[in-house]
Amino acid sequence: MSATDRFDFRAPVVPLGELGRVHVTNVAGAGMSAVARVLLDRGVAVSGSDPKDLPILQALRDQGAAVHAGARPDSVADVDTVVVSSATRETDPELARARELGLRVLHRSQALASAATGRRVAAVAGANGKTTATSMLTALLVDAGEDPSFAIGGELAGLGTNARAAGGAAFVIEADESDGSFLVYHPEVAVVTNVQPDHLDHYGTYEAVQAAYLDFARSIRPGGLLVACADDEGSARLAGQAAAEGTRVLTYGTDEDADVRVLGHTAEGFGTVARVRDVDGTERELRIAIPGPHNVLNATAAFAAAHHGLGVDADRAAAGVGAYTGTRRRFELKGIAGGVTVVDDYAHNPGKVHAVVGTAAALVEAPARVVVVFQPHLYSRTADFATELGRGLRPADVVVVMDVYAAREDPVPGVSGALVADAVRELVARDGGPTCEVHYVPEWDQAAPTVAGLARPGDLVLTVGAGDVTHLGPQVLALLESSGDRDR
């Protein structure tokens, strides 16, 4: 049963004052903890649980939430609303008990929409780049003194949190298109970074994905603004459709017809300096703390949304982009050991993988190499896009593919990380270009030793994926450090 079968994302938003006492399941997750945090900031009594006793539970307790590790069905007996995600199965003990008691059950996006009541919502969607673009917009608004509320799928390095409800008028939300829940927010400003054939386990076809984004554009409040990337075919098509229906639209990108056009960019170490021409012809410099042309587009989207959508002074908005110092798991530097640099990234679909591996390749000069550890995410995505994922990994010098991180799915016979590894090998054999050493390591506990054994001084190691591959970086660094100690 899909999320749209379980929840009506077009239903009216429940007023914040009607939520009563709220219990959040799987509260340690990025999206769920964001909901808990903004509800707490807005004065709502929050309890919650998570299968694992993670550090974030203590952080939520410190904020006033009554949270615990492990499911306790009786913990929902004295609450009014239970908040779940699309990944929460109906057999979850707390959700099942809530159903028995006839309690209000909301999807996390619906609870977040309640928390955003009365604010100027800016919602950022897209298959790729939405976390970074949302983070950049948030950091910009903070720097501009706007005191925004925000809910992001990653922790902002400069603020040390993924969410808060503050006193300013703006509320910036990373809007999840994966399950159709981005329709609940009715934003004043909507940003679409790209429209790609992703999440086909939910939508079935790319045509259905495109239709959902058009519905998202139609959900913009009257007089609001759609900010869409002109460089992406799907986003550009959406911009044309929305404009034809009377929505105010602003495009951005390197395309010569973009309203806010990127004229060029240069690398400065791990950072980037871009030149952007605004609608009125004024050219400005955007200084960005992270590398990659895709992040130039994300920064331009943040500038356009802040200035043209939320009314921030143009020069202040351009300068504010520089206030962004990074988001956890978005080209996040984990450390250096034995001359090897280790970076972690959340990339998990073909577009994201292509962008992050390409960015790494541009930073490294021979004889140094790019060593990528990739953990495929979801059996359905692996089956649908093994070749495309392999193409995204192809620019690396060394690729280590782990087995599939199942997340919300059950195993599928014949689908494993070997499909992606084989795809890379086939591309190397077919294109005859630079060599790429490929390893398939299905045993999780063998991944870090394998990578540490392959890495050489000067190499850049990337741990890539939306699952627990993020925990490999520190292990690789520890192994490299201990190896260096033995050599001395």
Side-chain angles (χ1 to χ4, degrees):
M1 183 183 295
S2 71
T4 47
D5 293 325
R6 299 166 65 193
F7 303 97
D8 182 3
F9 295 131
R10 300 175 189 272
V13 173
V14 178
L16 182 67
E18 295 182 11
L19 292 181
R21 294 162 297 179
V22 175
H23 184 84
V24 182
T25 64
N26 299 295
V27 73
M32 304 303 277
S33 64
V35 172
R37 281 172 159 158
V38 296
L39 289 175
L40 287 164
D41 283 342
R42 298 216 65 181
V44 176
V46 174
S47 61
S49 67
D50 196 85
K52 297 180 180 180
D53 191 7
L54 299 172
I56 194 171
L57 294 187
Q58 186 56 51
L60 291 169
R61 291 186 193 106
D62 293 342
Q63 196 175 341
V67 295
H68 56 264
R72 299 177 188 173
D74 289 344
S75 65
V76 304
D78 60 350
V79 304
D80 304 290
T81 302
V82 173
V83 178
V84 302
S85 72
S86 297
T88 307
R89 302 191 179 193
E90 290 296 321
T91 54
D92 177 271
E94 293 178 348
L95 175 56
R97 182 59 176 154
R99 298 288 194 201
E100 290 175 3
L101 295 172
L103 301 178
R104 177 192 291 114
V105 176
L106 295 180
H107 187 272
R108 66 178 179 87
S109 63
Q110 295 172 314
L112 192 56
S114 295
T117 301
R119 306 298 176 93
R120 300 181 67 189
V121 174
V124 182
N128 309 317
K130 61 179 173 289
T131 299
T132 301
T134 308
S135 300
M136 287 178 167
L137 177 55
T138 299
L140 184 164
L141 292 171
V142 170
D143 184 73
E146 297 293 326
D147 196 22
S149 301
F150 59 90
I152 307 172
E155 183 178 296
L156 264 175
L159 298 176
T161 185
N162 61 333
R164 76 178 184 198
F171 200 128
V172 185
I173 294 174
E174 180 179 345
D176 186 4
E177 80 286 349
S178 69
D179 53 11
S181 62
F182 62 169
L183 299 181
V184 306
Y185 301 117
H186 300 284
E188 182 173 333
V189 182
V191 177
V192 174
T193 58
N194 39 64
V195 179
Q196 300 288 332
D198 199 5
H199 308 298
L200 300 185
D201 56 319
H202 173 76
Y203 289 105
T205 65
Y206 182 37
E207 289 73 22
V209 174
Q210 293 172 300
Y213 274 96
L214 183 55
D215 284 341
F216 177 60
R218 288 168 175 162
S219 74
I220 296 172
R221 297 174 188 175
L225 174 69
L226 172 65
V227 178
C229 184
D231 292 5
D232 175 75
E233 182 180 351
S235 178
R237 183 185 302 111
L238 173 67
Q241 293 172 315
E245 293 184 358
T247 301
R248 186 163 67 100
V249 174
L250 187 80
T251 60
Y252 69 94
T254 62
D255 187 273
E256 62 181 13
D257 293 326
D259 297 316
V260 181
R261 187 180 178 193
V262 178
L263 302 177
H265 70 275
T266 57
E268 281 194 356
F270 258 46
T272 313
V273 179
R275 194 73 184 169
V276 174
R277 186 172 63 213
D278 205 355
V279 176
D280 62 1
T282 303
E283 294 185 13
R284 292 181 176 85
E285 185 178 86
L286 304 182
R287 304 191 71 85
I288 309 160
I290 53 177
H294 58 299
N295 286 318
V296 171
L297 292 178
N298 292 331
T300 306
F303 164 80
H307 175 49
H308 294 282
L310 297 173
V312 177
D313 173 78
D315 291 333
R316 189 72 184 268
V321 170
Y324 172 74
T325 57
T327 307
R328 184 176 176 273
R329 300 222 61 207
R330 271 64 182 182
F331 216 83
E332 180 188 8
L333 177 64
K334 304 301 290 186
I336 301 173
V340 177
T341 301
V342 178
V343 172
D344 183 47
D345 197 275
Y346 189 74
H348 55 281
N349 66 30
K352 289 184 173 77
V353 172
H354 174 79
V356 72
V357 175
T359 295
L363 292 173
V364 171
E365 295 183 5
R369 306 169 304 163
V370 174
V371 180
V372 178
V373 192
F374 178 64
Q375 183 184 50
H377 184 257
L378 299 178
Y379 291 98
S380 58
R381 182 179 285 122
T382 303
D384 289 337
F385 298 112
T387 299
E388 290 81 358
L389 289 166
R391 189 172 294 115
L393 294 167
R394 174 66 181 90
D397 299 289
V398 181
V399 173
V400 176
V401 181
M402 301 173 65
D403 211 352
V404 177
Y405 185 80
R408 60 184 178 270
E409 295 185 339
D410 294 322
V412 176
V415 178
S416 72
L419 294 178
V420 179
D422 289 343
V424 182
R425 293 189 184 102
E426 290 169 8
L427 288 165
V428 172
R430 189 181 69 195
D431 65 24
T435 60
C436 177
E437 183 181 338
V438 183
H439 302 262
Y440 174 50
V441 183
E443 299 84 7
W444 201 97
D445 59 358
Q446 292 303 306
T450 298
V451 175
L454 291 168
R456 305 171 186 166
D459 287 353
L460 173 60
V461 171
L462 278 174
T463 57
V464 179
D468 55 8
V469 66
T470 186
H471 301 304
L472 281 186
Q475 294 185 22
V476 172
L477 289 166
L479 289 169
L480 290 170
E481 190 68 42
S482 63
S483 176
D485 290 341
R486 288 195 299 270
D487 293 340
R488 284 195 286 271

